[in-house]
Amino acid sequence: PRLLSQFFFADERVTRVVAEINGLDAELDPQQYLVLLNQLHLSQARLLAVLERIMEECIPTQRHSRDYLVKFPEELLVENLGNHMLFAAECLLAGTFLEVEEADGAQLRPQARNLLCSLELVRTVLREQSLSQPGSYPEPVQAVLIQFDRLFAEFELSYVSSLVVVKSPEEIYRQQEIIVLFCETVERALRLGYLTQEMIDGYEPLLMFTIPRLAIISGLLIYPEGPLSLEQSPEQMSRVFSPFYNLLKKIRDLLQVLSAEELCLLERSLCTAE
């Protein structure tokens, strides 16, 4: 059950697969090479998962900040992002630029080299510790883990920033405003009887359509100074809504001519229509 023991066997697995890959002629047996490559990715993912648990146990208050993750597009925040970063670092060090421009790759190579060297040091230190005192983490072990954690975070931010446009602080703030708008919309809908708490607690699928529809009306009429404010330019709006700026104007103009009873009828119909 000890994490260092788990690390030892995970590390053994990575070493064994790497040795098999190095002893294989990929041109003579490409199918087996792909099989081993997949095994390597799986074994590295297992190694990183155990290492993550070790760092949480050993240096929980000294971890490098991961606040930058909120800047990443949601589609990049996948479970195996760390393993993908490790694979990217290995490719960069080998001079292969799979996802980034060559100029960006050249700038990232020193970081990739430092990260992989740090990982090798971590593997060596933890293997030795697992064989001597598998239940403790002396200060030298902690220092190596702190350095690796920092280098990994710095490489992750730099690499992703070279792939996509990360969110600016302004965009993050706009998204937080949208979250507040949706929360206020739900609260208002519950108060007016458009929705029930049972629907929310039961994750009623219809809510995926209902709440955004009601939020648009709330954003245009009830909270006109919020994230759907049309007094600002499209460039000042969140990227979620800016492409629909002109359409939102037309919707607002139509809503403004409705009476209170007509608006209520419209909102109720939006809670049932598919």
Side-chain angles (χ1 to χ4, degrees), residues 4 18 20 132-133 227 236 252 268:
L4 281 174
V18 169
E20 291 184 49
S132 57
Q133 294 178 301
Q236 295 173 307
R252 183 196 60 181
R268 287 190 178 279

Side-chain angles (χ1 to χ4, degrees), residues 182-252:
F182 272 55
C183 291
E184 292 176 338
T185 297
V186 170
E187 182 181 350
R188 176 173 174 269
L190 288 171
R191 186 173 66 251
L192 296 177
Y194 297 155
L195 306 176
T196 65
Q197 191 63 47
E198 290 73 18
M199 295 172 66
I200 295 174
D201 294 340
Y203 299 101
E204 173 63 44
L206 186 60
L207 296 179
M208 295 179 62
F209 301 96
T210 298
I211 294 176
R213 290 168 175 170
L214 294 178
I216 290 175
I217 293 179
S218 295
L220 292 174
L221 291 185
I222 313 302
Y223 311 107
E225 296 181 359
L228 285 183
S229 172
L230 297 178
E231 299 305 317
Q232 57 187 337
S233 66
E235 293 74 20
Q236 295 173 307
M237 297 180 73
S238 168
R239 286 179 287 180
V240 175
F241 294 111
S242 58
F244 310 104
Y245 186 83
N246 291 330
L247 177 60
L248 289 171
K249 272 192 169 183
K250 294 178 181 179
I251 294 174
R252 183 196 60 181

Side-chain angles (χ1 to χ4, degrees), residues 171-186:
E171 178 64 19
I172 294 172
Y173 179 74
R174 294 186 193 112
Q175 290 191 346
Q176 291 173 337
E177 282 190 315
I178 294 172
I179 294 172
V180 172
L181 172 63
F182 272 55
C183 291
E184 292 176 338
T185 297
V186 170

Side-chain angles (χ1 to χ4, degrees), residues 3 8 25 39 58-60 66 84 92 101 109 120 123 126 128 134 138-139 142 155 178 186 199 220 234 244 264 271:
L3 288 177
F8 178 85
D25 189 329
Q39 291 180 6
C58 177
I59 53 170
R66 295 304 198 278
H84 184 79
L92 287 172
E101 298 294 332
R109 283 189 73 184
E120 285 304 309
R123 292 176 63 183
L126 291 185
E128 293 174 352
E139 188 173 332
Q142 295 181 33
F155 176 78
I178 294 172
V186 170
M199 295 172 66
L220 292 174
F244 310 104
C264 178
C271 295

Side-chain angles (χ1 to χ4, degrees), residues 157-168:
L157 176 58
S158 298
Y159 187 80
V160 173
S161 297
S162 70
L163 290 179
V164 297
V165 178
V166 298
K167 299 172 187 172
S168 65

Side-chain angles (χ1 to χ4, degrees), residues 70 89 149 269:
V70 301
D149 189 46
S269 67

Side-chain angles (χ1 to χ4, degrees), residues 42-103:
L42 293 175
S43 59
Q44 285 180 330
R46 170 62 179 165
L47 184 71
L48 288 178
V50 178
L51 181 56
E52 177 68 23
R53 293 171 59 195
I54 288 176
M55 289 191 291
E56 281 299 309
E57 180 177 271
C58 177
I59 53 170
T61 61
Q62 298 165 287
R63 299 292 305 273
H64 193 83
S65 173
R66 295 304 198 278
D67 290 346
Y68 59 82
L69 289 174
V70 301
K71 298 181 178 182
F72 291 0
E74 284 75 9
E75 61 269 19
L76 290 183
L77 299 177
V78 294
E79 187 176 352
N80 62 344
L81 179 60
N83 199 38
H84 184 79
M85 290 298 103
L86 183 58
F87 178 69
E90 292 170 340
C91 289
L92 287 172
L93 197 58
T96 303
F97 309 112
L98 294 179
E99 300 176 308
V100 298
E101 298 294 332
E102 186 171 347

